[in-house]
Each structure stands twice: as structure tokens, then as C-alpha cells.
Amino acid sequence: MIPEPHDTDPPLDAYSRAVSAVARELTPRVAALRVRHRGREGAGSAFAFTGDGFLLTNAHVVGAATAGQAAFADGTTTGFTVVGADRLSDLAVVRADGRVPGPVTLGDSDRLVVGQLVVAVGNPLGLAGSVTAGVVSALGRSLPTRSGNAVRVIEDVIQTDAALNPGNSGGALADAHGRVVGVNTAVAGIGLGLAVPINATTRRIIGALIRDGRVRRAFLGLVAAPVPVPAALRARTGQDDALRVAEVIPASPADRAGLRPGDLVLTAAGAPVSQAQSLQRLMFAEAIGRPLPITVLRNGAMVDVIAEPTELDPEPA
């Protein structure tokens, strides 16, 4: 027989206190979503991130639907309309038709470290308000996404061992202070979950979805991967990493600018380029049709080119 607890029993350990505090903070703010489109029903999670009814979720949760239902842990239910979805980042913004609980506090995933405690709140398998905890297993993972003919890699995806199941997608991933640092987006395998980071790039995407209902992106037309800068050049530039061009899309802005496979991209728009996200952060609406100076190392020589990004074709409905 399990003995009854006594007032003299020790308090919760630090880990339990942290997880339970995050659960109390976030569970009321995370909703179960249901959408229907062309006779098919989908489900997932979302969380309030503004005080006027905007919820953040995954694009693959809402799919092509334009509206749905949201249900919160306190029994509140409300309809919602889809404000905008961006399949190339797997993010979507919806707006509740009625009152919803107050917003979460958004954090900054760029401040995470491997081994840090994270808590996932969502609605897996239809079980509302489920909480799991784990650690940041890895940072800087990549998650390929596709929309029509456009392929993009979501950079700096957070990998966690917090248990995620179908229905968790769109739910909140938070740090020990209850700040939401990611949007749970995929179940990659047993004991492995991924989340889209909440960082400066994500905030720009969210802002564009609220403002325009979509994200206008610039298209450069190259595929590149980070590599170490040669030692001699590292001493000269102070730059440890750069991007090696693996492929240049024919007739693309990169091709017209004269970029070639094998080029080592050092700077773009005057700023060092050390990872794929360094370029992707530049590929928003303001870059469309404007000269983009790029410096590359080619056959041991520094070469300057000017590319003019075009607009990436809008995603098909």
C-alpha cells in the first residue's frame, strides 16, 4: 500500500518544480485545433501569442483549410479563420473568432544550449493539454520542406527528446522559464522530436503572415553548404566558416550574376556568410529586384559579383 503523504515530506525537486510551473503557465494557452477541407479532417495544436486572438501553429496542420475550431483546456471553444500559412517555414497564423486565454511569452531559440530543459505542451492523439519534458538534444538541425517546385531547408531546427506524438504539431516548446522557443513540427522517429525555432527570422515570417497573409521571398538560385574557411584566409578575414556553392540553378539570378559551383561565398550585402541561414535571412521582400553584392573565393582569388534576386513564385493553393 502506498503511504499517504505528510506535510513533512520534502518539496518537489527543482526539475519537477520547473516542469510543473511551465505546465501551469502554458497549458491554458495551448489549443487543440480541428480543420476540415474537401471532406478531410485534420487536427493539431496552436498557442495564443498576442492579446487579440492570434494563434501560431504549423502550416501542415491547417493545410489548405480557411477556417476551423479551437478548443482550450478550460473548455473554451471558438471558431477561427486562417490568416496566412507559409509551407516553406511550416508556420501558420490563425485568428480566433471569440475570446481566448492570454498570450504566451515568446523567447529566443538562438539562446538555447544543448542539454537545456525544454517542455512541450500540445494535444497528442486527441489528449488535450498534454505535457512532456526533455532536453535540447541538438541544435542547428535542418528540416527540408517543399511547396510545389520550391524546396527550402528550415535551418536551426531544434531537436528534442521530449515525447511528441500526432497532434503535438503546432504546440509550444518552452524553456524552463515558460518562454516559448519553438513550434513543435514533426515526429522524426522514436524518442526524437523537432521544432521550428522562434528567432528573429521566424518573427519576420509571423509578421508577414499577419500583415499580408503570406511571405514574399526573394529567389537567388543556389544551393550551398557551410564549410571551414582555409586557414590563410581565416587569418586575413577573421571568418571561420563560409558557404560552398554546390549547385547553381540555370537561368537563376545567381547564374546570371556569374556564380559557379565550387565558389566559396564569403559575404553577401557586405556581411559575412557562415551558414545557410545567413543567406536566407536576406531573402525577404526587400531584396526582390535590388542589387545584392556577393564576394566569393574562386581558384584562390577574391571575386565580386552583383546578383539581383527575383521573387519566388507564390505557393500554389
Side-chain angles (χ1 to χ4, degrees), residues 32-45 57-65 67-70 80 123 126 166-167 169:
L33 297 190
R34 289 202 171 276
V35 299
R36 179 175 287 275
H37 180 70
R38 295 178 181 172
R40 300 181 64 181
E41 188 171 275
S45 304
T57 185
N58 286 144
H60 78 259
V61 169
V62 299
Q69 290 286 323
F80 68 80
N123 302 278
S169 286

Side-chain angles (χ1 to χ4, degrees), residues 87-135:
R87 280 174 279 183
L88 293 181
S89 64
D90 199 20
L91 292 173
V93 172
V94 306
R95 190 169 195 180
D97 302 330
R99 292 178 61 86
V100 300
V104 303
T105 299
L106 295 181
D108 183 2
S109 62
D110 290 346
R111 300 173 68 90
L112 291 174
V113 297
V114 173
Q116 182 172 342
L117 170 67
V118 284
V119 181
V121 181
N123 302 278
L125 306 173
L127 303 174
S130 293
V131 177
T132 59
V135 299

Side-chain angles (χ1 to χ4, degrees), residues 101-186:
V104 303
T105 299
L106 295 181
D108 183 2
S109 62
D110 290 346
R111 300 173 68 90
L112 291 174
V113 297
V114 173
Q116 182 172 342
L117 170 67
V118 284
V119 181
V121 181
N123 302 278
L125 306 173
L127 303 174
S130 293
V131 177
T132 59
V135 299
V136 175
S137 304
L139 294 166
R141 297 299 196 215
S142 298
L143 179 64
T145 60
R146 178 181 293 272
S147 180
N149 293 325
V151 179
R152 181 176 184 270
V153 175
I154 304 175
E155 296 292 340
D156 291 337
V157 169
I158 304 163
Q159 179 185 325
T160 174
D161 65 352
L164 301 178
N165 292 288
N168 265 119
S169 286
L173 186 74
D175 64 16
H177 299 285
R179 298 173 297 215
V180 176
V181 292
V183 183
N184 300 321
T185 192

Side-chain angles (χ1 to χ4, degrees), residues 229 239 241-243 265-269 271-276 278-279 282 294:
V229 170
Q239 190 171 335
D241 298 291
L243 289 182
V265 181
L266 297 170
T267 68
V273 171
S274 59
Q275 53 186 336
S278 302
L279 273 180
L282 300 174
I294 297 174

